[in-house]
Structures are given as C-alpha cells and as structure tokens.
Amino acid sequence: MLKITVPASSANLGAGFDALGLALTLYNRVWMEEADGCHIAATDGAAIPTDETNMIYATARRLYERCGHPFRGLRILQESNIPMTRGLGSSSACLVAGLLGANTLMGSPVSPADLCDLAAELEGHPDNIAPAMLGGFVTSVYDEGQVYSVKKNIDEQLAFAAFVPDFRLLTSKARAALPDMVSHKDAVYNLSRAALATAAFCDGDYSLLGVATKDSLHQKYRLPLIDGGDEMFELAQDLGALAVYISGAGPTIMAVVPRDDQEFFARAQEALPQSEKLKHFTVYRLLPDNTGATVE
Ligand code: HSE
C-alpha cells in the first residue's frame, strides 16, 4: 500500500488572510491501494466517514475521473493526528492525501503544480494547501485557477505553541462572521503587515513578527466565536510569545516562541488548568516542517 504523510498547517499568521501559511510537525498518515469498492478504516479509532463521502476517498475518486482513468474503488487506512475543524489544516491534509495518493496510483499523470491548483480549487483558498504540500513558510496567491507560491524553509530558531480548545469551529461559520466590505485603512493595515511577515521569514528576523502578525481583517470578528480566545491571547503574550494569532479560521490560538524557551511551555501547561476561562485548551509544542507531504 502507498503511505502518504501530510503535515498540519497554520494559515493567515494574523495579517496574511488567505495568503500566508506554514507547515508543522503534526501529521496525518494515509495508506491507500486500489480495490474493488470502498473500504475505509481508521487505525486510531477516530470517528471518520467510512463510506464514499469520506473526503480522502471522494477527492481521490475525483482525480481518477478528471484524468479519465477507470476507477474500481480504494482501500484506505487513516491515522488522524491533526485535530479536526480546529484551524490546523485537517481538511487540506485530507485533500492533499487524496490527490497525492490517487495521482501516484495512476502513475503520476498530473504535475505537482497542477495538483496544488486542484487542491486550492477544492479548498477555496491556498494558504493551508500550499504549506501542506510543500512544507515550510509559504506565501501564495490563487489567481484564475492557478496557485503562485514561494516557499521558504523555516530555520531552527522557532517553535509553535498551538493552544487547541475542546470545541470545533467550522471554517464556513468563521468566514460567515466576516464583513463583506472593509475600509481602505484596514486593508493597508493588513497588506503592510503581511508583506513584513513574509520579509521577516525570508530574512530570519523574527523580532518583527509581533507587529507583522497583527490583523484588522478577520481576528476581531472571529474572537467572539472562540470561548476564552481573548484570555488565551493575553496569556500567550504575558508568557513572552514573539507573536500570537488565530490559526487559520480558528479556534486554535497559535503562539510563536523561540525554540529554546522551554519555560514558555512549562508555564502554559501549568496555567491552563488553573484558569476557568482556559481549562478547555490543550497546548501542543510543534516545530516547523520543511518537507511537506510525502508518498512512499
Ligand atoms: N484563510 C482561511 C480563513 C483559512 O481564515 O478562513 C481557513 O482554512
């Protein structure tokens, strides 16, 4: 069976709404082979759809059909370590796994760039898809059906504290909370910071991330949907994070931390259960993944 490994991803980085994302060392693994009919199981007991509505299966089938390749069915085994519907790219990971698996089983008729375009079309935006496929820190634009992206490896200096709450937030709900129109001032606020965040990653100047990840386009509308979100921002800032932002559409709150700051995680783990407002959050210590999705 093929083994496909896809990293978690954290999109937006505050100001870079639908444009910036990075890959993290938390992985979904999928084993896939051609079979007669639909055979899907979880290796870890996770509650996943085991019929043809399964996102990996449906995405793989779609690629077979798009390529005009006969489709008999698939046997799929899924190990889901990326928390679902939490803003850590679990749906992108499923789309990427389905496309990479199907493409490899068909003898790789589709180029990696075209797979990325298709994945972004299915997801609606490229900011999780591109880092899930490529790894690292990725700046992307989705223009007329094509993803234009630049990937930069993230160096050894950074760690990421993902504060994951025990409830889900659908991306569709978090997008519906956003206004249709924004002011010129708010647009300038974000585009200047998204540009600065990109330059900061390219230059390795992480002292800029505090100001570069501030946002005026989405976080203030989404925080009311995240129980304890304001308090989580405050705690992470008080503990000395370089930057704090809502990961993707939320509800995970992400703190960027110097990698040698073990104290940050120890103090966060101690503080969460002691706070009524924050005890439903769990902190994951993650590192950057610079490899992206792989197929073996
Ligand atoms: N950029 C997207 C959003 C990421 O913020 O809605 C969620 O998948």
Side-chain angles (χ1 to χ4, degrees):
M1 274 177 119
L2 290 181
K3 180 183 172 191
I4 307 124
T5 305
V6 189
S9 51
S10 177
N12 297 334
L13 283 96
F17 183 76
D18 278 3
L20 306 183
L22 48 83
L24 296 165
T25 52
L26 182 64
Y27 301 94
N28 278 2
R29 296 187 182 85
V30 174
W31 290 262
M32 189 187 282
E33 68 184 2
E34 290 189 345
D36 289 315
C38 173
H39 309 274
I40 302 172
T43 58
D44 52 9
I48 53 161
T50 53
D51 60 11
E52 296 191 0
T53 65
N54 177 287
M55 197 191 259
I56 299 171
Y57 187 93
T59 309
R61 177 177 200 153
R62 202 167 172 147
L63 190 65
Y64 269 77
E65 286 167 359
R66 197 177 265 231
C67 292
H69 200 96
F71 181 79
R72 288 193 291 128
L74 293 170
R75 185 180 316 283
I76 289 175
L77 286 173
Q78 251 179 273
E79 180 190 301
S80 311
N81 298 305
I82 306 172
M84 284 181 228
T85 335
R86 299 296 206 286
L88 288 168
S90 62
S91 72
S92 287
C94 288
L95 292 173
V96 168
L99 292 176
L100 283 179
N103 195 43
T104 308
L105 289 172
M106 289 187 290
S108 302
V110 184
S111 71
D114 287 347
L115 287 179
C116 191
D117 295 345
L118 181 55
E121 177 193 322
L122 297 173
E123 182 78 335
H125 35 86
D127 48 337
N128 288 104
I129 291 293
M133 289 193 82
L134 304 172
F137 167 85
V138 188
T139 303
S140 335
V141 168
Y142 187 53
D143 186 71
E144 297 190 1
Q146 215 175 314
V147 177
Y148 298 84
S149 65
V150 173
K151 170 201 170 177
K152 170 83 184 154
N153 281 350
I154 304 174
D155 67 30
E156 303 285 304
Q157 295 177 45
L158 294 182
F160 294 82
F163 292 96
V164 184
D166 64 1
F167 58 87
R168 297 174 173 214
L169 176 57
L170 286 175
T171 297
S172 51
K173 187 174 170 194
R175 288 181 89 85
L178 306 182
D180 288 336
M181 307 288 283
V182 297
S183 68
H184 194 270
K185 190 172 156 224
D186 283 348
V188 171
Y189 188 97
N190 269 56
L191 69 86
S192 54
R193 282 167 177 75
L196 188 65
T198 304
F201 271 94
C202 288
D203 214 27
D205 187 352
Y206 303 122
S207 66
L208 295 170
L209 290 180
V211 71
T213 53
K214 285 163 79 180
D215 155 77
S216 223
L217 294 185
H218 65 107
Q219 295 192 155
K220 62 187 168 201
Y221 306 106
R222 288 173 163 176
L223 270 172
L225 305 175
I226 304 174
D227 188 21
D230 286 312
E231 292 80 3
M232 200 61 257
F233 262 71
E234 232 170 83
L235 175 71
Q237 275 154 353
D238 287 350
L239 292 177
L242 293 168
V244 188
Y245 64 91
I246 297 178
S247 184
T252 292
I253 308 290
M254 189 67 76
V256 187
V257 181
R259 190 178 294 203
D260 55 11
D261 191 352
Q262 298 292 346
E263 181 75 9
F264 180 97
F265 291 92
R267 288 177 59 201
Q269 260 161 350
E270 203 179 293
L272 294 181
Q274 288 173 14
S275 160
E276 252 336 284
K277 298 252 165 119
L278 299 177
K279 63 183 188 193
H280 57 289
F281 283 88
T282 303
V283 61
Y284 289 60
R285 183 177 185 270
L286 303 174
L287 297 175
D289 169 287
N290 286 319
T291 307
T294 57
V295 186
E296 298 161 59

